[in-house]
Every structure is written in C-alpha cells, then in structure tokens.
Amino acid sequence: MSKSAIEGRQRVIEAAAAMLASHGLRGISIREVIKFANAPLGSTYHNFPNGKQQIVTEAVQWAGEQASAQLQACLAQDKENGIQLFLQQWRKRLTKSEFRHGCPIVAAAIEASEEEDAEPVKQAVSTVFAHWQQLLTTHLISLGHAASYAQSLAVAVIACIEGAVVLCRGQQNIAPFDAIIECIPAMLAAKQA
Amino acid sequence: MSKSAIEGRQRVIEAAAAMLASHGLRGISIREVIKFANAPLGSTYHNFPNGKQQIVTEAVQWAGEQASAQLQACLAQDKENGIQLFLQQWRKRLTKSEFRHGCPIVAAAIEASEEEDAEPVKQAVSTVFAHWQQLLTTHLISLGHAASYAQSLAVAVIACIEGAVVLCRGQQNIAPFDAIIECIPAMLAAKQA
DNA sequence: GCTATCTTATTACAGCTGTTATAACAACAA
DNA sequence: TTGTTGTTATAACAGCTGTAATAAGATAGC
C-alpha cells in the first residue's frame, strides 16, 4: 500500500469522525465524507471492504482514542483540577463551533442502536465509553474515593458531560455546560455514597 | 374533520414520537410511521401540510409534554423524593425496552442540528428543554435552594439523565443509570454553589 | 337524494443512498 | 521491457426517500 493511500485512508476516518459529530450517523454519506477528505471514491471498498459500517466503526474508535488522550493529558497535568481542565477544553470547543460540533460517539450510539449490520459500530461505542469510565475511575480512586463509588462517579460525570453537550446543541447556548461545570464539583466533593 | 381522522392524526404523532426514540430522526420514514400508526399514507399532506418536518415537530412537542406531565406528577406526589421517583420510572422504562427506547427529544436535537428546513424542529426541542428546566428549577427553589444555583442544578440533573440514557443504550446495560441515581443526591445535597 | 367538503388510494417523480462491476491507470519486480 | 499488483475513475444497480398530483371514495348539511 502506497504512502499516499494510507494517508488518504486516515483522512477518510478523520473526516467521518468530524462529520459524525455534526451531522450524525445517517446524516453523512460515503460520497460526502470522501469529498470532504479529498479522497477517491473509487477506492472506498478497497480501503474499507465492509463499506460505511467499517468507516463509521473506525471513526468511532479514532475519535474515542482522541478524547481519551485529551482526558488523560488533563488529568496528568493537574491531578486536583484535571476534570475541570477537561471541561473547559470542551466548553471552548462547543462555543467555537457555535454548538454544531457534538460528540461523535453519542451520535453513533443513538443512531446505530436499531440498525441492522451495525454490531461492530455498537461494539466500538461500548468499548469507547468503557475506556473513558475506566480512565476516570482510576483517577478518582487516586484522589481518595472508595473504589465502588468512584466507578459510579466516573459514569455520572461522563453522563453529565454528554448530556450537557446535547442540551447546548438543542438550545444553541453554552449555559447548560456552565451549569454542569458549576455542579459537578458538588458530586466530586462527596467522598462516599 | 371527522373524529376518526383526528384520532388518526394523533396516532401518527405518537407513533412518530415512539419511533423517534428508538430509531432517531433520520431512521424513520413517513411510510413506516404511517404504517405503524395504521394511518393512511394518502392523507399525510392533508394532516401535515409541511410534511415530515411538521410530523417530527409535533412529535417532539407531544413527547415533551408527556415527560413534563410525568415529572410534575412525581414532584407533586413526593416533594422530597420526587426526583428519585422520576428516575426510577425512567429506569424501568429503559430496562423494559432492553435499552432500545431513548429520548426522542435528544434524537431530534442531535439529528436536526445540521439539516435545512429544520428550524421548527430545533425550536420545539429548545422549548421542551427549557420547560423541563423551569419545572425542576421551581421545584428546587421550593426545596430551599438559592434561585441561581437551583437553575444550574436543574440543568445538571437533566443533563445527567439524558447522558445516562445514551450511555445505557451504548452499553446495553442499566449500570450508568444506577450510577446517576447514586450520584445525583450528592449534587442536590449541596445547598449552594 | 344532492351537493360540497373532507378524506384517502394510487401512482409517479426526482433525488439520494450503499454497493458493485468494469476497465483504465499507476507503481514496482523481474 | 514485461508483468503483476495496488489503486482509482466511471458508470450503473436497485432500493429507499420526501413530496406531489390525480382521481376515487366517504361524510355531512340541506
């Protein structure tokens, strides 16, 4: 496989992830993704033998890893306020895109749930969510929380963030995100269930 | 307009809301909704001159009112534990549908955001979210929270719930919902920001 | 019963979708 | 150079979509 072909393949995945975040799973077509990525349509099924399902699956995995890396960087940079750091970064991203850019994993989770031949997509979504939870749980334990409560807390924080992103998009307003930035510390302050 | 026609119109709206919750905005077609509602296809543009956009808009409004009524009933029934009551009802609904049934408003919010001619849908989504927030805010104030913090808290609780629903669907597991049921009280316990 | 209005069945359209087949092209090994 | 392989352009497919027009049917008011 030539070098430019590899780059083209990766461009398709990243384009799919970006368009997934703004248009949703069924809002994107192979033709549009390919055009956005400046990649050739003719070689789509050469690079992705399983078609759209495979493109979406790899886009979810890639976007999930990107977010994980970003979260990990925040937590490593400031152990006490790493979560707040992460929240601020997402806040900026939301406002800069004028609430057009959501979470691609959420989009895939919602739109792939009742589709046939979407098992790989659902599997990727589940894995990404699980990885985020594990990252946060570990961090919360290192902050002194009890293991079992840390697990619940991690899930609750992720739910809060994802929900707030949806609310911001729905209301075209950053207020929901500021609300969770204000309220999440109260959850984190409670040391036990 | 005949009585059966009115009933048919309403059935279409409710079918659209139900299918929106499971299949998403672009996962449903007029033909399928009509079939599910046992309504005639020929009269679709008689009942909904603006086509699919109007059906979805009215479905969002109807589903929003249903949820509002349910929330209000819970809060009225038990002032102290009304929110927990509401959470338990949603928990049951999720498990009974085996995580197929999500929130139709969230689906509309995500999938209508970058579509043309979807302003009415987006407007309906925004109104529904705002109404929920207002209901919860009023309740939290009556529980003794400061007005401004009550507002943030209301948004955070809604975000938590919506996010947890998405996580449950993504992981095919009720654990995320149990996690927020466990963690939300900590947020509510903090009387001030 | 007759008329006017409300309602619906049927058919058709044009556009987009994922996918596939075919053939032309490039790059590289012998 | 020859041949083989990796890559792509082009075109076509069958299926679905929202939408529209037409004409037939049902219903209510007189």
Side-chain angles (χ1 to χ4, degrees):
Chain A
M1 189 147 61
S2 77
K3 186 183 168 194
S4 72
I6 292 180
E7 288 171 355
R9 213 192 106 98
Q10 182 59 25
R11 269 207 316 276
V12 169
I13 293 173
E14 297 183 19
M19 298 179 75
L20 207 53
S22 54
H23 292 71
L25 172 54
R26 274 182 266 241
I28 62 177
S29 69
I30 292 184
R31 286 170 176 84
E32 280 178 353
V33 170
I34 251 63
K35 190 193 295 182
F36 188 80
N38 252 326
L41 171 62
S43 60
T44 302
Y45 284 81
H46 217 288
N47 289 324
F48 306 94
N50 286 76
K52 184 177 183 178
Q53 171 224 104
Q54 184 176 357
I55 296 178
V56 171
T57 301
E58 298 198 26
V60 166
Q61 291 167 341
W62 182 82
E65 286 163 17
Q66 291 290 116
S68 291
Q70 190 188 343
L71 173 59
Q72 228 162 350
C74 288
L75 298 182
Q77 184 178 330
D78 185 337
K79 189 175 174 182
E80 292 298 325
N81 299 105
I83 292 176
Q84 291 293 320
L85 210 63
F86 184 74
L87 290 174
Q88 289 299 337
Q89 290 185 8
W90 261 91
R91 198 197 113 106
K92 192 174 292 178
R93 177 175 170 174
L94 261 176
T95 48
K96 280 213 173 175
S97 77
E98 284 171 321
F99 319 109
R100 278 190 285 267
H101 208 270
C103 174
I105 284 85
V106 167
I110 288 182
E111 300 188 63
S113 69
E114 287 293 299
E115 220 165 355
E116 19 181 277
D117 297 335
E119 256 93 323
V121 176
K122 289 192 271 185
Q123 181 59 49
V125 166
S126 183
T127 302
V128 167
F129 281 151
H131 190 212
W132 291 354
Q133 287 169 27
Q134 183 231 308
L135 273 181
L136 257 184
T137 300
T138 304
H139 180 255
L140 290 171
I141 290 177
S142 85
L143 242 51
H145 284 97
S148 89
Y149 187 59
Q151 199 152 352
S152 295
L153 213 42
V155 175
V157 168
I158 293 171
C160 239
I161 297 174
E162 296 290 19
V165 170
V166 173
L167 289 178
C168 288
R169 293 182 85 193
Q171 305 203 319
Q172 294 281 299
N173 196 311
I174 197 62
F177 214 85
D178 285 333
I180 66 157
I181 288 179
E182 188 181 353
C183 294
I184 282 182
M187 272 199 311
L188 299 178
K191 287 290 172 185
Q192 265 182 331
Chain B
M1 191 146 63
S2 77
K3 187 183 166 194
S4 71
I6 293 182
E7 286 171 355
R9 212 191 106 100
Q10 181 60 23
R11 269 205 318 275
V12 169
I13 293 173
E14 297 183 20
M19 297 179 75
L20 207 52
S22 54
H23 294 71
L25 173 52
R26 274 182 267 239
I28 63 176
S29 70
I30 292 185
R31 286 172 175 82
E32 280 179 352
V33 171
I34 252 60
K35 190 193 294 182
F36 188 80
N38 253 324
L41 171 62
S43 60
T44 302
Y45 285 80
H46 216 9
N47 288 325
F48 307 95
N50 285 76
K52 183 176 184 179
Q53 171 224 106
Q54 184 176 358
I55 296 178
V56 171
T57 302
E58 297 197 27
V60 166
Q61 291 167 342
W62 182 82
E65 286 163 17
Q66 291 292 114
S68 291
Q70 190 187 343
L71 174 59
Q72 228 162 352
C74 288
L75 299 182
Q77 184 178 329
D78 185 335
K79 190 175 176 184
E80 293 297 326
N81 299 105
I83 292 176
Q84 292 292 322
L85 210 63
F86 184 75
L87 290 174
Q88 289 299 337
Q89 290 185 7
W90 261 92
R91 199 198 111 103
K92 192 173 293 180
R93 176 174 170 174
L94 262 176
T95 49
K96 282 214 171 176
S97 77
E98 283 172 322
F99 319 109
R100 277 190 285 266
H101 208 271
C103 174
I105 284 85
V106 167
I110 287 182
E111 300 188 63
S113 70
E114 287 291 300
E115 219 166 359
E116 16 183 277
D117 298 335
E119 256 92 324
V121 176
K122 290 192 269 184
Q123 180 60 49
V125 166
S126 183
T127 301
V128 166
F129 281 150
H131 190 211
W132 291 352
Q133 287 169 29
Q134 182 231 309
L135 272 182
L136 256 186
T137 301
T138 303
H139 180 254
L140 290 170
I141 290 177
S142 87
L143 242 50
H145 285 96
S148 89
Y149 186 60
Q151 199 152 352
S152 294
L153 213 41
V155 175
V157 168
I158 294 170
C160 239
I161 298 173
E162 296 289 18
V165 170
V166 172
L167 290 178
C168 287
R169 294 182 83 191
Q171 305 205 319
Q172 294 281 300
N173 196 311
I174 197 62
F177 214 86
D178 285 333
I180 68 157
I181 288 180
E182 188 180 354
C183 294
I184 282 182
M187 273 199 312
L188 300 177
K191 287 291 176 187
Q192 261 180 336

